[in-house]
Amino acid sequence: MRLEIKPSALIAVFMRSFLVQGSWNYHTMLGLGFAFAMLPGLRSLYEDNEDMLEKSLKRHAEHFNAHPYLIGIALGASLRLEAEGAGANTVRSFKTAVRGPLGSLGDSLVWATWLPGVSVLALALYWLGLPGSMSVLVFLLIFNAGHLGLRIWGFRVGCSEGRDVGRKLQAADLSGLTSRLRGVAALLLGLLVGALLGAEGGLVSAGLLWVLLSAAGFLAGLVAGHYAWRPAAATVVLSIVLLTTWGLLR
């Protein structure tokens, strides 16, 4: 017999998913946060069975790790399994199976592609003449639209697919989406370089020293950039540091 979860409890679980990193630790990693997010749904399922509520909560507080923006997939699917009356070992096996893929997919899509890509876009717009405050606003709107959309989609998929969520992820082809976004990010990086070189107050007018430093940075990235940890993200961070330093020294 499948139990029903109240819509208000599902909304509460989703809202709590934003806080899963609040209790991160080396022992359970996101486990405590995962259990905290699951609690409204578990209460809705086991409101008349305190023993089952306690056991399921302890089970979900065990070690678990995934990307925080994709953890909604695991939350929704785990709730679906609980509602279907799946055994403790089934739930544990499912969470063990999805944590690695959700972590690697999220790191590749969000930290190494979406975040640096949107950052490069905002920097390019600034160097093309958009006021700094507007460039920051563009970054916040676009980045958060993407990350919130990913969270909502993931939670809905988890709740609807349950243990079959893997097939939905395969059909969604997040790896292919990551590759396409990386191509767009590369184009934006070229736009940023052009803006830095040609804009008023850009590197060309900054003097020979900055031109040489930029050339050296480009060559270093060309030769050894692929060895860097999350190279796209590292490139953006380095660019921001250099630009900030330049602005302070001018």
Side-chain angles (χ1 to χ4, degrees), residues 100-122:
L102 292 182
S104 60
L105 277 173
D107 283 351
S108 179
L109 175 59
V110 180
W111 299 149
T113 304
W114 184 246
L115 175 58
V118 179
S119 300
V120 167
L121 171 63

Side-chain angles (χ1 to χ4, degrees), residues 21-22 26-27 40 76 78 111 113 122 125-126 137 151 176 183 221 235 242:
Q21 293 175 290
Y26 286 105
H27 180 58
S78 296
W111 299 149
T113 304
L125 291 175
Y126 172 76
L137 182 61
R151 283 180 180 270
T235 301
L242 289 176

Side-chain angles (χ1 to χ4, degrees), residues 3-5 30 33 39 44 64-65 85 102 116 125 174 179-180 188 235-236 243-244:
L3 301 176
E4 292 298 325
I5 306 174
L30 294 178
L39 184 55
S44 177
F64 184 76
N65 200 32
L102 292 182
L125 291 175
L174 294 183
S179 298
R180 293 190 292 273
L188 291 173
T235 301
V236 172
L243 291 171
T244 304

Side-chain angles (χ1 to χ4, degrees), residues 9-20 36-37 151 155:
L10 289 175
I11 294 173
V13 172
F14 176 72
M15 296 305 295
R16 287 186 176 212
S17 71
F18 288 83
L19 305 175
V20 291
F36 171 77
R151 283 180 180 270
F155 187 65

Side-chain angles (χ1 to χ4, degrees), residues 3-119:
L3 301 176
E4 292 298 325
I5 306 174
K6 296 176 183 177
S8 59
L10 289 175
I11 294 173
V13 172
F14 176 72
M15 296 305 295
R16 287 186 176 212
S17 71
F18 288 83
L19 305 175
V20 291
Q21 293 175 290
S23 56
W24 191 96
N25 61 84
Y26 286 105
H27 180 58
T28 63
M29 293 193 170
L30 294 178
L32 293 178
F34 193 95
F36 171 77
M38 288 280 288
L39 184 55
L42 296 177
R43 281 175 173 163
S44 177
L45 287 171
Y46 305 124
E47 56 185 349
D48 297 324
N49 194 331
E50 288 292 331
D51 183 58
M52 284 294 294
L53 174 60
E54 182 178 351
K55 288 180 179 179
S56 62
L57 188 61
K58 287 182 178 179
R59 179 167 65 247
H60 289 294
E62 296 170 359
H63 178 275
F64 184 76
N65 200 32
H67 192 280
Y69 292 1
L70 290 179
I71 202 168
I73 296 175
L75 284 168
S78 296
L79 277 175
R80 173 75 178 264
L81 288 171
E82 294 282 354
E84 292 174 347
N89 290 334
T90 299
V91 176
R92 287 192 180 97
S93 296
F94 170 79
K95 290 174 65 177
T96 299
V98 299
R99 64 187 181 189
L102 292 182
S104 60
L105 277 173
D107 283 351
S108 179
L109 175 59
V110 180
W111 299 149
T113 304
W114 184 246
L115 175 58
V118 179
S119 300

